[in-house]
Amino acid sequence: MKDKEKYNSIEESRFDYFETVKPHPRLGQTEEESKGKEKFNQIGAYTPRVDGDKIVTGQAPYTHDIKLRGMLTCKILRSPHAAAEIVSIDTSKAENLPGVKAVLKLNEKKVQYAGQQVAAVAAVDEYTAEKALSLIEVQYKTLPHSVTEEKSRETDAPQVHSSSNVQRFNQYDRGDIEAGFKQADVIREFTYRTPNEIHHPTETHSSIAKWDGDRLTIWDSTQAIHNVRDGLARALKIPAARIKVIKHYMGGGFGSKLSLNEYTVVAAQLAKISGCPVKIVLTREENALCVGNRPSSHQTYKGGIKKDGTLAALSLVNYTNGGINRGDRCSEPMIDLYKCPNVKDEQYTVFTNLGPSRATRAPGHVQGTFGFEGFLDELAAAINIDPLELRIKNYSAKNQGDTGIPYSSKHLEECYRIGAKEIGWERRNKVPGEGTGRYRQGLGMASQIWWGAGVPGTLADIKIHPDGGVEIICGTQDIGCGTRTYMATIVAETLGLKPEDIIVKIGNSDYPWAPLSGGSLTTPSVAPATRDAALKAAEQLKQMAAEKLETKPEDIELKDGKLVSQANPDKSVTLRELARSLGRETVFHGSRSGMPPEYAYNSFGAHFAEVEVDTLLGKIKVLKIVAVHDIGRVINRQTAESQVVGGITQGLSTALFEQRIVDQNTGRLVNPNLRDYKIATAMDMPEIIPLFIDKPDPYINNLGTKGLGEPPRIPSSAVIANAVYNAIGVHLREIPMTPDKVLNALKNKEAADEKL
Ligand code: MOS
């Protein structure tokens, strides 16, 4: 991969910038590590999940699986109306139903969306709970509602909140936008749209609440055990120290499980009233209605470009519908990805009577990348330049379009080179849509930027027992990415053991603090803290071994469960012997240190797609995706590749299939299930080639690693739209790219071509 000659289908000299980035030892990295030359055996290798067998054989406990003695089932009554005043709630019949242990009114004023909670019951089983819900009598006085961006923007639209439906929530300016447009040879303006997308994690949301006196234990399917604990403390007005949140395994979250949920508070309240543990498992329908969605976008870009491909001016106005919550800002790709001196951005959120939006895997960036990277391809076509060349021409070494501070590391140009070579970029249509016949092939690409530097202050402890057992303990949570595996690998690598020798303890809010698992920050927070703890343990063990073997600590190597003198390999002591001589369990505290402020910390990547469009049926078939990511050091190649495959699957799914459909008259979701809300399946998936630059970042942390949770999702819808454009010569500016849209676009293009 590092062989420049292999990937020089694009003019070589353009990549010289890359050679000027020099690594420096910082933040506890050794000189060797910072150069990425340290010989790691386990870190960076393909390591199967330490708990993979447990997961695939159904032994790994999910919140759904947990059963406690005397546990009740909670069900929540939800409003069928998009907007209504609640006149009265009568729960007496439900309370009198045998088997019902507690009933709670949750809302006696007003509902703002269909699916909003109104009342809850706890009963001995699911059937009794459902029966009880049907006995609760609620009198609603329905109010006018608005469930579309268009309607909410009308002057006489029903008002969702007490303030105006349309709120400007972000504005950004640099340079002089009007002067920029004057310098441009070509100006284009196009609008791109993305729909609301539902997270639909495999495991629906669930919580169990159990009180022991004034102590509360919560089992929760969550991305954030500490946030759930602290949120509950505020909601219930009890000290956080009296709450413990546990999460062993979960079937995905994608942002919909990032914070405390209303139903978790309800379960805790019902458990208190009934004196029994209470479990709530949301249905698939509830998942679609009330625990989040990706806000829509309606992005209008105007861009000015010079004939040589230099970007002169870029502007964006976006309207986003996040239901009763604020939507997403989606201008980051336009602001940061390329060199452009004159940029203007305005973001407006539009409130509607729909369930609250939530962060969804790479919030804003997914929408913005679909819009902006699509727009760039249309600008490239307008001046007849290769879309990849356009991106390289405007490459920026600093953030804010080259007007800000330098990146700690950025190898996007290498991603371009490798990806272009791998997909065979020279095969693309030189003019979009120049092919003929029923089936038309096309190639497209799209770039990605994200944060994902991790959180300083993340803690992890290593405990060594006198019997030689080694534990790594951290209050993080594995949301499905393989956290336990890389933690075990890092400790094993540092202490000369094997991953299966290490006991990993995570998923409990009593453990040392770690941040929520979102924003691609788990690995770059937890891995460095783990490494720090392991290095501290190794240091003490080396000192003890050196004394025992009458040599210097620098002479000691940790290998195969032993501490060996490198000068005299016959002299060694086992880790177990040293542990025994410690006499009691010994804890080593690790933490994730800070980052020098003079750099911008971002991850980068580029995807390349090959598609085939059936112009008779309007069907798009994705044939191949090459994904090249620059995330600093790769900690576990196997789980990193899975992460990329997952991101591409979701991106393909939204590009071609996913859309939340709402009946405007009733304000209700038409497709709150996985039969009518289409997602991609194995049959839809192309060949995927995940590749990594794998160069440690010199400043970011002691392992030089960045997050990968969101990056592969970011360009994965845009790249398909761009490949379709290359295939048929018309850019589909709205996803999902369903056959009706493809056929309409082809028809309109034909009509336009005839006019010429
Ligand atoms: Mo993610 S949207 O930060 O779970």
Side-chain angles (χ1 to χ4, degrees), residues 201-415:
T202 317
E203 182 196 31
T204 62
H205 295 56
S206 57
S207 302
I208 298 167
K210 179 177 183 283
W211 290 89
D212 297 285
D214 61 3
R215 303 268 180 127
L216 175 63
T217 305
I218 298 282
W219 287 262
D220 200 18
S221 179
T222 180
Q223 297 172 242
I225 49 177
H226 288 98
N227 297 42
V228 169
R229 180 197 63 191
D230 297 343
L232 271 169
R234 284 191 295 270
L236 301 172
K237 299 189 173 61
I238 61 171
R242 291 203 188 131
I243 305 172
K244 170 162 47 185
V245 179
I246 298 169
K247 190 212 66 101
H248 300 297
Y249 284 85
M250 79 192 284
F254 312 113
S256 68
K257 298 175 181 172
L258 269 179
S259 51
L260 174 68
N261 284 293
E262 287 173 335
Y263 61 82
T264 309
V265 181
V266 171
Q269 289 169 329
L270 289 170
K272 188 90 189 170
I273 299 167
S274 65
C276 301
V278 169
K279 180 179 191 172
I280 178 157
V281 174
L282 295 199
T283 61
R284 186 53 66 188
E285 182 171 350
E286 287 176 300
N287 250 249
L289 290 174
C290 55
V291 283
N293 55 78
R294 183 192 295 283
S296 66
S297 73
H298 173 184
Q299 313 166 51
T300 301
Y301 288 93
K302 185 175 171 191
I305 190 166
K306 296 181 188 168
K307 277 197 189 111
D308 68 352
T310 310
L311 291 168
L314 291 167
S315 79
L316 165 63
V317 178
N318 178 42
Y319 289 90
T320 167
N321 166 9
I324 62 165
N325 271 4
R326 207 197 72 189
D328 282 346
R329 169 189 179 199
C330 66
S331 47
E332 212 65 44
M334 175 186 75
I335 290 169
D336 258 355
L337 254 176
Y338 306 104
K339 212 180 256 185
C340 181
N342 309 302
V343 175
K344 186 173 167 60
D345 166 47
E346 278 175 76
Q347 302 278 321
Y348 296 90
T349 203
V350 182
F351 293 118
T352 55
N353 292 106
L354 281 161
S357 74
R358 278 204 181 154
T360 311
R361 198 170 181 179
H365 279 57
V366 165
Q367 302 96 304
T369 301
F370 171 78
F372 181 61
E373 286 285 278
F375 182 59
L376 268 196
D377 271 28
E378 300 204 68
L379 282 182
I383 57 160
N384 238 323
I385 181 176
D386 176 343
L388 182 52
E389 202 177 320
L390 174 69
R391 286 162 173 90
I392 292 162
K393 177 96 192 170
N394 296 285
Y395 200 85
S396 72
K398 297 174 182 174
N399 78 342
Q400 307 286 303
D402 232 37
T403 64
I405 53 175
Y407 292 113
S408 58
S409 65
K410 175 176 178 177
H411 304 302
L412 181 56
E413 70 291 66
E414 217 182 340
C415 299

Side-chain angles (χ1 to χ4, degrees), residues 577-653:
E577 283 169 61
L578 289 181
R580 194 182 304 133
S581 68
L582 281 167
R584 57 181 167 80
E585 53 180 56
T586 309
V587 179
F588 301 91
H589 302 295
S591 72
R592 195 255 192 248
S593 51
M595 295 168 282
E598 59 266 36
Y599 296 98
Y601 297 90
N602 291 86
S603 66
F604 300 91
H607 285 196
F608 292 76
E610 180 172 7
V611 301
E612 181 177 87
V613 182
D614 178 345
T615 56
L616 183 66
L617 299 180
K619 278 191 76 170
I620 296 164
K621 192 172 166 60
V622 183
L623 303 172
K624 183 175 180 174
I625 303 276
V626 175
V628 195
H629 286 278
D630 166 23
I631 50 150
R633 187 196 298 281
V634 174
I635 304 283
N636 181 354
R637 192 65 181 250
Q638 183 153 323
T639 47
E641 289 187 0
S642 315
Q643 190 67 277
V644 173
V645 169
I648 289 169
T649 307
Q650 285 185 326
L652 184 148
S653 192

